[in-house]
Amino acid sequence: EAGVAQSPRYKIIEKRQSVAFWCNPISGHATLYWYQQILGQGPKLLIQFQNNGVVDDSQLPKDRFSAERLKGVDSTLKIQPAKLEDSAVYLCASSFLGYGEKLFFGSGTQLSVL
Amino acid sequence: EDKVVQSPLSLVVHEGDTVTLNCSYEVTNFRSLLWYKQEKKAPTFLFMLTSSGIEKKSGRLSSILDKKELFSILNITATQTGDSAVYLCAVEGSGDDMRFGAGTRLTVKP
């Protein structure tokens, strides 16, 4: 089965610029997650979707981050404007149900903000 | 607030050694604890534990959960250089989201 697809793999931008990441989950997976992983830390959940509805976005910095999952399949995460502290790997994951099961992760997007 | 703490943060061993990685947690309405291996970017699933005292085993890796003392251990026997990675512990609570620890970076030297 195809895995979770993410693009781009790498992105370098200057602070105050905008950036967008794309994720296509495993077919049939209702739940999609965006995690931020800063170097040396564990992944931190930014937002969780169940189909096209938001389940949890309590840790999403909503003044600069936005995410959508139109049609309940693929998703985009946007940062506008970016700050230096946004430099991290952004991981997308999906699962079939959303609870009591493992997550399948994409290869991530490494963002460097200069 | 929910918390997942892993120890040690890093560990350097030689091939053939046995290692034990620790994960302690404080989570509201615990559902499950999962271990992942992260070699480059994408964490890959190792084990999911929901019941105390039942060991999960896969080759040289094994893990067990203690729900009374709120911790889990991941054992790796006869380590190989290919075991070098960051090992992440994640706990799922009542909110259905998965909270990760900071990870243990394992380096296995030849």
Side-chain angles (χ1 to χ4, degrees):
Chain A
E1 91 191 331
V4 176
Q6 286 190 249
S7 67
R9 295 292 299 275
Y10 303 92
K11 192 75 178 175
I12 301 174
I13 61 172
E14 295 189 350
K15 59 183 179 183
R16 291 188 291 272
Q17 287 187 320
S18 302
V19 65
F21 313 127
W22 175 82
C23 172
N24 193 20
I26 291 172
S27 177
H29 279 195
T31 309
L32 185 148
Y33 311 77
W34 282 103
Y35 282 89
Q36 179 194 59
Q37 188 174 22
I38 293 171
L39 188 64
Q41 299 181 19
K44 182 183 88 170
L45 179 68
L46 293 176
I47 189 166
Q48 177 182 345
F49 291 96
Q50 184 77 14
N51 297 308
N52 60 350
V54 176
V55 173
D56 183 356
D57 64 356
S58 57
Q59 298 191 89
L60 187 74
K62 297 182 186 64
D63 57 334
R64 298 184 301 107
F65 285 65
S66 64
E68 60 182 11
R69 192 184 183 198
L70 300 175
K71 301 180 183 177
V73 181
D74 57 349
S75 175
T76 55
L77 175 70
K78 296 179 182 176
I79 308 175
Q80 180 180 9
K83 293 185 174 181
L84 297 177
E85 60 261 35
D86 298 331
S87 294
V89 174
Y90 290 84
L91 292 165
C92 179
S94 70
S95 67
F96 184 64
L97 288 174
Y99 58 88
E101 56 179 0
K102 64 184 179 184
L103 304 185
F104 293 83
F105 283 87
S107 296
T109 296
Q110 183 155 353
L111 174 67
S112 297
V113 182
L114 307 178
Chain B
E1 184 183 309
D2 294 351
K3 197 164 54 172
V4 180
V5 178
Q6 292 188 245
S7 63
L9 291 181
S10 67
L11 192 55
V12 180
V13 301
H14 288 94
E15 273 192 318
D17 289 349
T18 294
V19 297
T20 298
L21 311 182
N22 304 289
C23 175
S24 64
Y25 62 90
E26 293 177 26
V27 172
T28 305
N29 295 332
F30 172 89
R31 281 181 185 263
S32 61
L33 184 146
L34 294 89
W35 286 96
Y36 290 86
K37 178 182 182 182
Q38 187 175 32
E39 292 179 84
K40 291 188 178 176
K41 290 196 190 114
T44 54
F45 172 78
L46 294 174
F47 299 111
M48 183 167 77
L49 304 153
T50 56
S51 302
S52 272
I54 298 175
E55 185 183 54
K56 294 280 184 91
K57 197 170 171 65
S58 176
R60 296 176 294 103
L61 278 67
S62 64
S63 183
I64 198 161
L65 173 68
D66 186 328
K67 290 168 72 173
K68 183 180 176 185
E69 300 297 330
L70 308 182
F71 76 92
S72 173
I73 60 171
L74 175 67
N75 279 320
I76 309 175
T77 60
T79 52
Q80 302 171 357
T81 54
D83 295 328
S84 295
V86 174
Y87 290 84
L88 295 166
C89 172
V91 179
E92 184 181 27
S94 59
D96 293 342
D97 65 299
M98 208 158 287
R99 183 173 292 270
F100 284 82
T104 293
R105 179 173 294 279
L106 174 66
T107 303
V108 182
K109 292 189 171 181

